[in-house]
Amino acid sequence: MMRVYACITQQHDLWLVLLAGAVCGFGAWVSLNLARRAAAAVGRARWGWLAGAATATGGGVWATHFIAMLAFRPSLPMGYDVGLTVLSILIAIGGAAVGIRRAIGGGRLAAPLGGAIAGAAATAMHFTGMAALQVPANLHYDPAYVAVALGLGVLLGGAGFTAALRIGSLKGLAAGAALLALGICGLHFTGMAGVTLIPDPLHDMSDVIMEPGLLAIAIAVTATVVMALGLAGAIVDQRLAARAAHEAARLRASEERFRQLADATTEGIVIHRDGVVLDVNRAMAELLGKPQAQFIGQSMLRFVVQNRRSDIERKLAQPTSERVELDLLHDDGTLVMVEAHGQDITHEGRPARVVAVRDIRERKRAEERIRHMANHDLLTGLPNRSLFLDRLNGALASAGRARTGVAVLYLDLDRFKAVNDLLGHPAGDRLLQEMARRMLEAVPSHDTVARLSGDEFAVLHRIAQPGEALALADRLVKALGVPAELGGQRMVVGASIGIALFPQDGGGAEALLQHADTALYRAKSEGRGTFRFFEAEMDERLQARRGLERDLRQALVDGALNVHYQPLEDCRTHRILGFEALVRWKHPERGMIPPSEFVPLAEESGLVMQLGEFVLRTACRDARNWPDAVKVAVNLSPIQFRHSDLSATILGILEEEGLPPHRLEIEVTEGVMIDDTERALAALTALKAAGVRIALDDFGTGYSSLSYLQKFTFDKLKIDRSFVQLMAENRESLSIIRTILALAKSLDIAVTAEGVETEEQRTLLKNESCNQLQGYLIGRPVPASELARFYEPA
């Protein structure tokens, strides 16, 4: 060590030694910094950084050596062989390139091995440079010092590369540069201490010798290149650092946004790798009632119910993108039904999988409610027609195999409409709920009670013998006949029941229900509040009714119906004021069919709109030929008012047929108002505003006739024929007529009395100041062709 120290202090210019050390340190810093960049780069960029690092390393080592050689003062003339000098710098740069390439190649020993190669190359460059020294003397090397020089270059080179490349901080770079610089300087001055110059005037000298001045220029150029590389590296390093900082900030912002989005979503999100949870969002933690930290590192199977774990394990082994419904375990032990859907992603540079978890408990409850609503009546909660038929089909199949019986009971409440009329629809709804409750109490729990529509119900009853159906029907009639308290009033409703039995009355659900309905029709026609079993002749009568319906439909198509007209006279002057249009049907086989038989059939079969339009259009067309003062009256069915465009239809017919609206009088019954009061009032108001007169027919026979006089201003009231026919011998009927006439007079409403058949009735009504009369005494209904005699002058 003392010999090395003496070599430095006694044989070298200290200022140049210090310069050599500075150049060495700067070159080591630049070379290792560039090596770091080469390690981080890929593709062509890596080779560019590698070339720069090798040039800086080799150039720095070469410049350090020859600056130190310029500092050497051997007291002999000195020069340098050009070829060996050039070879030395090539060895330095080439060896550095090999070493750096190995150092950044990857692996645990890559950095120390690459640094050792670079150190060995620096040692080779040193002794090649020594060989380039041209002095009149012989050089003798001490093998020990040569070995130590080599060891310093290899060991400190490996240590310097390891510190710089494995410690990513600035401190790691500084430590690596210091170690590398120490190794280069150490090998140089140790090698110089091991050299002995023995003067020899006869020593052969090279023919091409570089003077120290030229060498100084070469060194300056090399040092400048190293500094330029350092400056360029620093600039690029700064930009890359700024870009890296910006990218890191962007990534942090992106991760923060992702985290915010993940936490803001209502769906749970789980990121896992091979079933081990890497991360979850807040929604997932809240879904299962656990802190987010408790998920990390846990197996996903831990949060799945036991009976689904094997299934989920198979899906984890072969991930698919299909949606899976499963139950998860909440922290309190309850089950959470979810829908999970996974996708492959890259998480922190490695493949992973993200799973979106949606809470579907509310959806399942909604689906269950929808299924219930689709199969049950909303008001009573009873099964509807669809579910009833489904259960009936199942019961029939079971009964067929077991050779047992099934009874279908079709029920209709007898006076339900009266309750709706008197107390309103809310009371009617409460009544339906009460009747449903009573039926459920009367019917065995294993059977089915269903609401088919309105006030119609059906019961599926499994039986062993017909007597059981009879007993149930009797219980139901009695239970539903008990008075019900509604709005402080006791209402007796009652029910009629039709019964069809399997297998004797039919083998299918629809057939049994239809036959039970046919039996119900018989029960209602025979007094209500009772029950009837289906019989074959009932179906025959029903088939006859259907045949009549078919014939009526064809008659409307063929124009086989006619309109007759019955006159209305002024009670005081006996002048004809108008005619009421009445439809007539002469059947080709059965002859004249009364309107009381085919009009209700038209209402029930949906033909009433077609029938009503035919009568109205015919009446308007015929009335065009009458004197202007003569009006025509047309009855409308309550069913016609269910169509929202009724008023527009009527006014359209008036315009098409050319009849002024004031010559048309529409007659409606109380049923029009009962069906849908708001819609009926809207239609009547529109017609009245256009000039059409409105009459209330059958006044005094309904439940709420007086209340409708408050809701709508009628132009006329028509007293029902039942009062007129009894007025001569029944004081009560006469009193009712007087009351109606007094009421109408006070409201300034005209009154027509129907069913006038005797002069006595005409006289009584005239004495009571009735406005108009109608009946056989005035004239029977006749075709339009026979009306001229009523309004032509006598």
Side-chain angles (χ1 to χ4, degrees):
M1 187 66 184
M2 292 300 295
R3 185 171 175 180
V4 174
Y5 175 76
C7 175
I8 295 174
T9 58
Q10 298 175 14
Q11 299 177 20
H12 288 76
D13 185 334
L14 291 179
W15 290 108
L16 289 178
V17 169
L18 292 176
L19 177 60
V23 170
C24 183
F26 180 72
W29 175 281
V30 172
S31 65
L32 291 177
N33 187 43
L34 296 178
R36 273 185 169 186
R37 289 299 171 195
V42 293
R44 293 183 179 179
R46 166 172 280 202
W47 291 105
W49 285 109
L50 179 61
T55 302
T57 304
V61 170
W62 186 85
T64 299
H65 171 80
F66 281 99
I67 290 173
M69 290 303 295
L70 288 176
F72 182 51
R73 296 290 185 262
S75 301
L76 293 171
M78 295 176 56
Y80 296 91
D81 183 272
V82 174
L84 290 175
T85 301
V86 173
L87 178 61
S88 66
I89 194 170
L90 294 178
I91 291 174
I93 294 174
V98 174
I100 295 171
R101 177 68 183 87
R102 183 65 186 88
I104 64 175
R108 295 186 59 185
L109 298 177
L113 182 58
I117 293 172
T123 305
M125 185 284 306
H126 171 80
F127 287 104
T128 303
M130 289 299 295
L133 179 64
Q134 298 296 307
V135 291
N138 294 314
L139 279 68
H140 293 278
Y141 295 94
D142 186 331
Y145 278 88
V146 172
V148 171
L150 178 62
L152 287 173
V154 170
L155 293 176
L156 292 179
F161 270 67
T162 302
L165 296 179
R166 288 191 178 177
I167 303 175
S169 65
L170 189 62
K171 290 182 179 180
L173 179 61
L179 289 170
L180 181 59
L182 183 61
I184 294 170
C185 291
L187 79 86
H188 177 83
F189 290 108
T190 301
M192 290 297 293
V195 174
T196 302
L197 295 177
I198 302 174
D200 181 3
L202 300 178
H203 180 73
D204 293 333
M205 303 286 284
S206 173
D207 294 333
V208 184
I209 297 176
M210 183 185 298
E211 294 297 328
L214 292 176
L215 179 62
I217 294 172
I219 293 171
V221 171
T222 304
T224 301
V225 171
V226 172
M227 287 189 290
L229 289 172
L231 179 61
I235 293 172
V236 174
D237 188 59
Q238 183 179 9
R239 291 183 177 179
L240 290 177
R243 183 184 299 175
H246 175 72
E247 185 66 18
R250 189 185 67 81
L251 288 175
R252 285 195 300 271
S254 178
E255 289 175 359
E256 181 62 24
R257 285 195 300 272
F258 174 77
R259 172 61 64 182
Q260 290 175 351
L261 287 172
D263 285 339
T265 183
T266 56
E267 288 188 346
I269 295 178
V270 180
I271 300 176
H272 74 90
R273 183 177 293 119
D274 298 327
V276 178
V277 178
L278 303 176
D279 199 2
V280 298
N281 69 341
R282 185 183 301 124
M284 188 65 195
E286 293 174 352
L287 182 64
L288 298 188
K290 301 174 184 289
Q292 289 172 266
Q294 290 190 11
F295 288 84
I296 312 302
Q298 299 292 329
S299 170
M300 290 182 62
L301 298 178
R302 178 180 176 184
F303 309 106
V304 180
V305 293
Q306 186 70 39
N307 60 353
R308 289 299 305 276
R309 290 183 180 178
S310 58
D311 181 37
I312 300 302
E313 198 167 14
R314 285 195 302 272
K315 293 184 182 299
L316 288 173
Q318 297 179 340
T320 65
S321 59
E322 67 179 17
R323 298 182 183 274
V324 179
E325 291 186 3
L326 66 153
D327 291 331
L328 300 182
L329 288 170
H330 193 274
D331 194 49
D332 61 9
T334 59
L335 298 183
V336 180
M337 185 175 291
V338 301
E339 180 184 73
H341 176 226
Q343 292 289 343
D344 291 330
I345 63 168
T346 299
H347 180 71
E348 296 180 348
R350 295 176 59 194
R353 193 164 177 82
V354 61
V355 180
V357 179
R358 178 179 298 172
D359 185 351
I360 59 173
R361 287 175 293 183
E362 185 57 37
R363 190 185 81 186
K364 289 296 183 181
R365 286 192 288 266
E367 289 174 355
E368 182 58 34
R369 287 195 297 270
I370 291 171
R371 278 194 294 271
H372 186 273
M373 290 168 61
N375 292 298
H376 291 79
D377 170 53
L378 295 181
L379 179 64
T380 63
L382 296 177
N384 59 13
R385 179 184 291 269
S386 175
L387 182 56
F388 180 80
L389 289 174
D390 184 62
R391 292 185 180 179
L392 180 55
N393 279 316
L396 295 179
S398 177
R401 291 190 297 269
R403 298 186 179 278
T404 56
V406 173
V408 174
L409 289 76
Y410 206 124
L411 295 86
D412 182 83
L413 301 183
D414 290 334
R415 284 169 287 278
F416 174 72
K417 196 167 187 179
V419 173
N420 259 346
D421 295 343
L422 289 173
L423 302 180
H425 290 291
D429 289 345
R430 292 196 299 273
L431 177 63
L432 290 173
Q433 291 169 338
E434 172 62 19
M435 295 298 106
R437 185 189 63 78
R438 294 184 186 182
M439 281 186 269
L440 288 173
E441 290 180 351
V443 173
S445 59
H446 59 272
D447 290 337
T448 298
V449 179
R451 183 188 179 197
L452 303 184
S453 65
D455 60 341
E456 294 182 348
F457 298 83
V459 176
L460 161 62
H461 183 39
R462 295 167 178 81
I463 60 173
Q465 53 185 0
E468 297 175 21
L470 186 150
L472 176 59
D474 186 59
R475 286 202 308 274
L476 286 169
V477 168
K478 291 178 179 177
L480 301 180
V482 175
E485 292 286 341
L486 294 171
Q489 299 188 40
R490 286 171 59 85
M491 302 296 297
V492 179
V493 180
S496 300
I497 303 175
I499 309 170
L501 303 176
F502 171 83
Q504 53 264 51
D505 294 335
E510 289 286 0
L512 283 173
L513 197 60
Q514 181 181 335
H515 290 164
D517 185 24
T518 302
L520 169 64
Y521 185 79
R522 168 66 70 86
K524 294 182 76 70
S525 65
E526 294 185 358
R528 303 174 183 267
T530 185
F531 57 86
R532 290 290 182 268
F533 284 88
F534 172 77
E535 298 172 0
E537 66 263 19
M538 294 180 184
D539 193 42
E540 293 173 3
R541 285 195 296 271
L542 182 61
Q543 293 301 325
R545 181 175 177 275
R546 288 176 178 170
L548 186 62
E549 177 187 329
R550 184 174 57 253
D551 293 343
L552 176 59
R553 192 180 301 275
Q554 191 61 43
L556 283 168
V557 173
D558 297 340
L561 297 173
N562 296 298
V563 177
H564 288 194
Y565 300 92
Q566 187 172 24
L568 292 88
E569 75 166 15
D570 185 292
C571 187
R572 185 173 57 83
T573 64
H574 305 302
R575 181 172 60 88
I576 298 301
L577 302 175
F579 299 92
E580 180 179 358
L582 302 169
V583 65
R584 293 292 184 263
W585 180 23
K586 187 175 182 179
H587 194 278
E589 298 175 0
R590 297 177 52 184
M592 292 300 296
I593 299 178
S596 59
E597 184 175 345
F598 70 82
V599 170
L601 180 62
E603 291 178 332
E604 294 171 12
S605 62
L607 295 173
V608 72
M609 291 301 297
Q610 189 177 349
L611 177 62
E613 185 172 339
F614 162 75
V615 174
L616 179 63
R617 189 176 292 278
T618 302
C620 291
R621 186 182 303 122
D622 291 340
R624 285 184 311 188
N625 302 317
W626 305 343
D628 292 342
V630 178
K631 296 178 172 57
V632 64
V634 178
N635 288 280
L636 292 185
S637 165
I639 296 176
Q640 290 176 266
F641 278 83
R642 295 176 185 172
H643 295 261
S644 57
D645 60 346
L646 177 64
S647 58
T649 300
I650 294 173
L651 295 177
I653 291 174
L654 284 170
E655 183 176 359
E656 292 168 12
E657 299 300 335
L659 185 71
H662 72 271
R663 292 188 59 195
L664 175 64
E665 186 173 277
I666 295 297
E667 295 185 3
V668 299
T669 63
E670 181 184 317
V672 168
M673 310 295 284
I674 292 172
D675 238 12
D676 189 336
T677 303
E678 295 300 325
R679 177 176 292 181
L681 287 176
L684 294 176
T685 301
L687 291 172
K688 189 173 177 66
V692 177
R693 293 172 58 82
I694 310 297
L696 181 58
D697 201 6
D698 299 337
F699 187 78
T701 61
Y703 292 96
S704 306
S705 297
L706 292 176
S707 67
Y708 297 129
L709 295 180
Q710 293 179 312
K711 297 179 180 179
F712 185 79
T713 304
F714 290 93
D715 296 295
K716 182 194 291 186
L717 301 179
K718 298 191 72 173
I719 301 175
D720 187 71
R721 67 179 63 249
S722 61
F723 298 116
V724 174
Q725 291 173 352
L726 297 175
M727 62 182 296
E729 60 270 7
N730 189 312
R731 294 179 59 84
E732 292 180 354
S733 295
L734 182 58
S735 296
I736 291 174
I737 291 175
R738 286 173 176 169
T739 301
I740 294 173
L741 290 170
L743 174 64
K745 185 176 182 180
S746 66
L747 296 174
D748 195 23
I749 300 176
V751 178
T752 296
E754 295 184 297
V756 179
E757 298 181 357
T758 67
E759 283 292 345
E760 182 182 10
Q761 292 169 349
R762 173 189 268 176
T763 301
L764 285 173
L765 290 168
K766 184 177 182 179
N767 292 338
E768 298 297 335
S769 300
C770 183
N771 303 105
Q772 301 171 13
L773 303 179
Q774 181 181 0
Y776 286 172
L777 179 65
I778 313 304
R780 291 176 177 271
V782 294
S785 59
E786 300 179 20
L787 293 182
R789 62 186 175 87
F790 287 102
Y791 51 77
E792 285 184 346

